[in-house]
Amino acid sequence: MYRTLVLRGHRTRLALCGMCCVALAVVLCGCEVWVDDDYTETDCGGHNWQQDAFTLIQDGLDAMLADELGTVHVYDGVYPENLTVDTPSTVAGEGAVTIAPASGDTIVFAGTVPVWGGAMNVTIGGTGTGVVVQAVPTSLIELDGTVFGETLAQYIRVEVGGVSVDAEDATFLGAGGAAVG
């Protein structure tokens, strides 16, 4: 038998055997994590290093639970990453945040379950497509307050039907475009 407990923002699964044995099985982050390119193991803003505090956005996304809405708070900085979002997670910029990989697509929303999330208040740079939506139908991708950089070949590419993309207050610089396929 398994019980799930929430302890200080972390989801912990305990395996209970018999009447008195308790074995800790898994400790995962849920709900919220924080990313700052200046974090270190000894200085991570009062958070727990590599549990809810990371230097890479993808590490924060990977810490999210597949069945729980979550937010990856990203502090000031330039993050040269290609991101894959396959959980119901939002990347929320807290200050001047730029996600700009050297090549390829910047953010890919994918997965076998609906994704409800997005990228809010961040600048998306790079030379490929800013946002690629490959998620299953009924997904909702929010790009509120996002700035799409002028070097992007394409701002948004939606590769599946039945997905909603909300780009309220987004800014599109340069000559990129959008594609629905």
Side-chain angles (χ1 to χ4, degrees):
M1 171 169 60
Y2 291 95
R3 298 272 190 233
T4 300
L5 306 173
V6 176
L7 306 171
R8 292 187 304 165
H10 297 283
R11 181 175 275 235
T12 304
R13 182 176 242 188
L14 299 174
L16 303 176
C17 58
M19 295 181 60
C20 62
C21 292
V22 176
L24 180 61
V26 179
V27 177
L28 297 171
C29 294
C31 298
E32 296 181 292
V33 299
W34 289 264
V35 175
D36 192 328
D37 56 355
D38 295 326
Y39 278 166
T40 65
E41 185 174 356
T42 57
D43 182 14
C44 51
H47 302 290
N48 298 306
W49 180 247
Q50 298 299 309
Q51 292 179 23
D52 66 353
F54 304 93
T55 57
L56 298 174
I57 300 169
Q58 188 64 57
D59 290 346
L61 287 166
D62 291 344
M64 291 286 122
L65 294 170
D67 62 346
E68 188 172 315
L69 292 172
T71 302
V72 179
H73 300 277
V74 183
Y75 293 109
D76 291 351
V78 176
Y79 298 84
E81 300 181 58
N82 301 85
L83 304 177
T84 300
V85 181
D86 58 3
T87 60
S89 303
T90 297
V91 176
E94 308 282 341
V97 174
T98 299
I99 306 167
S103 63
D105 300 328
T106 305
I107 303 176
V108 176
F109 291 92
T112 57
V113 297
V115 174
W116 301 279
M120 302 170 81
N121 302 316
V122 299
T123 297
I124 297 176
T127 58
T129 298
V131 172
V132 177
V133 180
Q134 299 172 337
V136 299
T138 72
S139 293
L140 170 62
I141 310 300
E142 294 189 36
L143 304 170
D144 300 348
T146 296
V147 176
F148 290 85
E150 58 189 42
T151 59
L152 291 170
Q154 195 174 55
Y155 299 130
I156 302 169
R157 184 173 72 241
V158 179
E159 297 181 350
V160 294
V163 173
S164 297
V165 178
D166 176 5
E168 184 176 328
D169 296 325
T171 302
F172 300 91
L173 304 173
V180 177

